[in-house]
Amino acid sequence: MKKRLLTIVGLMSVLLVASTTVKAQDNFVTLGVKGGLNLSDYSGDIPKTKSVLKYQFGITADFALTNDIYIISGLEFQTKGTKSRPHGIPNVKYNPMYLQLPVHAAYKIDIAPGHRFVVEAGPYLAYGIGGKMKGTDKVSIFHDDRFKRFDFGVGGALGWEFGRHIVLKSGYDFGLVDVCDVKGIKAKNMNGYVTLGYRF
């Protein structure tokens, strides 16, 4: 687990350094970092699910198409899942971890000097890189045909930019892929979030 997290952090650092070089050459890209909290659950057939508090962090990239219209993307490390209590057995906790790539179209509105309101929406791609399912025992969530690694969905967010550097954002992602690989059971990721970002 620790080695995997270090690998993820290292990958993000390399991408950040590479992207910073791009920024120096092309001013239409604004880079940053962010972190925040997720409120995650599954929709579908898993019984008696309950939303759980998770976390995320990542690298952001804002591509300016005009003064007001942007493409917002980046690379995120996301923890998602849920908690359920099927009849007659202890709580089952689902704790998948993903690398996620959002691609949102955004409109930024000048509200006051140094302050902009942001509306954004678009698809995301995600790939499961680890995590556990905990019940009577603890097993890997993506092994032995339990859950699929690939996820795809759509999301939207509202944000507020404080000057050039600080970005506060709240949004929601709706998974469109049935990520459960167990026959007869469907589950799709649902994830609300609040993040705080810093743009360079």
Side-chain angles (χ1 to χ4, degrees), residues 9 11 20 22 27-28 38 53 61-62 66 79 88 90 100 102 107 112 127 137-139 148 163 186 193 196 198-199:
V9 172
L11 175 61
T20 302
V22 173
N27 291 329
F28 79 93
N38 294 343
L53 195 63
D62 291 20
T66 69
T79 60
Q100 183 162 306
Y107 185 67
Y127 185 79
D137 56 1
K138 183 190 296 186
V139 295
K148 303 168 187 174
K186 294 182 178 180
Y193 59 86
L196 182 63
Y198 182 87
R199 298 186 306 168

Side-chain angles (χ1 to χ4, degrees), residues 23 30-31 62 108 114-116 161-167 197-200:
K23 181 183 179 183
T30 303
L31 300 168
D62 291 20
K108 300 188 178 185
H115 294 266
R116 303 181 88 182
E161 296 182 353
F162 300 87
R164 291 183 54 195
H165 301 296
I166 306 300
V167 182
Y198 182 87
R199 298 186 306 168
F200 300 105

Side-chain angles (χ1 to χ4, degrees), residues 13-113:
S13 299
V14 169
L15 289 173
L16 181 58
V17 171
S19 300
T20 302
T21 303
V22 173
K23 181 183 179 183
Q25 298 173 352
D26 206 339
N27 291 329
F28 79 93
V29 182
T30 303
L31 300 168
V33 293
K34 70 173 182 178
L37 296 176
N38 294 343
L39 189 63
S40 298
D41 204 344
Y42 287 136
S43 65
D45 302 323
I46 296 177
K48 297 183 179 179
T49 63
K50 184 178 180 180
S51 298
V52 291
L53 195 63
K54 298 291 184 175
Y55 64 91
Q56 63 164 285
F57 59 86
I59 298 167
T60 63
D62 291 20
F63 300 87
L65 304 181
T66 69
N67 288 335
D68 303 317
I69 299 174
Y70 288 73
I71 297 297
I72 296 179
S73 187
L75 183 64
E76 305 165 349
F77 174 76
Q78 295 265 6
T79 60
K80 300 183 182 182
T82 191
K83 179 170 65 175
S84 73
R85 182 160 188 151
H87 180 70
I89 66 174
N91 286 342
V92 179
K93 297 179 180 179
Y94 303 83
N95 303 297
M97 299 183 297
Y98 294 90
L99 283 181
Q100 183 162 306
L101 177 71
V103 182
H104 286 185
Y107 185 67
K108 300 188 178 185
I109 306 166
D110 290 314
I111 301 298

